[in-house]
Amino acid sequence: MALAPEEIERYARHLVLAEVGGPGQNRLKAARVLVIGAGGLGAPLIQYLAAAGIGTIGIVDDDTVSLSNLQRQVIHGTPDLGRPKVESAGDAVARLNPHVAVVAHPHRITPGNAVDLIARYDLVADGSDNFTTRYAVSDACFHARRPLVTAALGRFDGSLTTIRAHETDAEGRPNPTYRCLFPEPPPAGSVPPCAEAGVLGALAGVMGSLMAMEVIRAIAGFGEPLVGRLLMVDARAVRFETLAYGWDPANPLSGTEALASSL
């Protein structure tokens, strides 16, 4: 897939990176990435994916832009108030990079539609704000055999990991699933929503940008992925830590019972 002269100039700083170069940039151009949520995490994520030249970005969001979003959801602006977020984000991508196609999915992703939708894309980046969606997306990525980059925000903290549970590691062991990391969602009401707890706006930018970097790294094919590693960010102490986690034989997707039943 040849790059047009305008694209060569646009992506010049990628092309001179030996780890990306022409082959990596062409992989980015050919890629189809599904972004779950055009909110605090999705806003910077979508912008950096578009700037990097991802060929097709699917955006799933059933919400509209409200004034309280604009403190952190920087892909939207004051003139977008009341508009569907998928439309506002799509217009922002078009302004930033006309070489990127946007596919709007103005609905909520559910266990019933997730596998079919995810199967249309090469990689999924989940920036949703609730555990129901996170479990639906991670389970569907396993069944559709798609990599997943998933992040979450707290008040002053964030976390990020990559799930490639449909693959094995270098020793042939199954990679961990999202359910290996979080076997069960927290009890209802134990994690207050953003509207109640608050969130530092710039932290969403940090975590969304890290998500974009992990997506770009996975597609271009350089570096070490966050598979089996949970990156934790503490904005108050400006501290980054990484926690290792592994495959849980009791997980319901690829655990020993699931593997036995598939034989």
Side-chain angles (χ1 to χ4, degrees):
M1 183 181 296
L3 298 173
E6 193 274 337
E7 291 177 285
I8 292 174
E9 181 177 357
R10 177 183 290 269
Y11 307 129
R13 301 304 186 273
H14 272 178
L15 295 175
V16 298
L17 289 173
E19 295 83 355
V20 180
Q25 192 62 50
N26 275 312
R27 285 193 288 271
L28 295 174
K29 181 176 181 178
R32 295 175 56 85
V33 175
L34 182 66
V35 175
I36 313 297
L41 292 168
L45 168 62
I46 292 167
Q47 288 174 307
Y48 274 105
L49 294 182
I54 297 295
T56 301
I57 301 175
I59 305 174
V60 181
D61 201 304
D62 66 345
D63 200 6
T64 57
V65 180
S66 65
L67 189 59
S68 63
N69 297 150
L70 303 186
Q71 164 253 13
R72 64 204 176 280
Q73 300 180 19
V74 293
I75 202 168
H76 314 294
T78 304
D80 296 314
L81 293 177
R83 296 184 67 200
K85 289 182 180 178
V86 290
E87 292 184 7
S88 173
D91 287 349
V93 169
R95 290 192 299 269
L96 179 61
N97 191 345
H99 300 283
V100 175
V102 171
V103 181
H105 301 283
H107 53 76
R108 184 172 292 273
I109 194 165
T110 68
N113 63 21
V115 174
D116 177 67
L117 179 57
I118 285 169
R120 306 177 207 173
Y121 293 86
D122 304 314
L123 185 147
V124 179
D126 183 9
S128 60
D129 61 357
N130 66 88
F131 282 95
T132 299
T133 300
R134 291 172 192 158
Y135 281 98
V137 169
S138 61
D139 288 355
C141 284
F142 173 80
H143 292 297
R145 301 183 62 82
R146 296 294 188 269
L148 169 65
V149 174
T150 181
L153 284 176
R155 296 171 63 245
F156 291 95
D157 61 274
S159 62
L160 169 68
T161 191
T162 291
I163 307 291
R164 302 185 75 101
H166 58 289
E167 299 174 349
T168 56
D169 64 17
E171 283 73 40
R173 295 169 300 197
N175 283 334
T177 70
Y178 185 80
R179 291 180 182 271
C180 296
L181 179 59
F182 300 111
E184 299 289 341
S190 63
V191 180
C194 170
E196 296 178 12
V199 61
L200 186 66
L203 176 62
V206 171
M207 298 307 303
S209 298
L210 287 170
M211 289 181 75
M213 188 165 63
E214 187 71 353
V215 170
I216 293 165
R217 185 215 55 73
I219 295 169
F222 63 85
E224 181 184 355
L226 281 170
V227 175
R229 297 187 297 144
L230 180 69
L231 175 65
M232 299 176 292
V233 178
D234 181 347
R236 282 176 288 202
V238 195
R239 183 169 57 230
F240 289 67
E241 297 181 354
T242 304
L243 170 71
Y245 65 97
W247 173 69
D248 179 2
N251 89 79
L253 295 176
S254 64
T256 52
E257 288 189 11
L259 292 175
S261 65
S262 66
L263 298 178

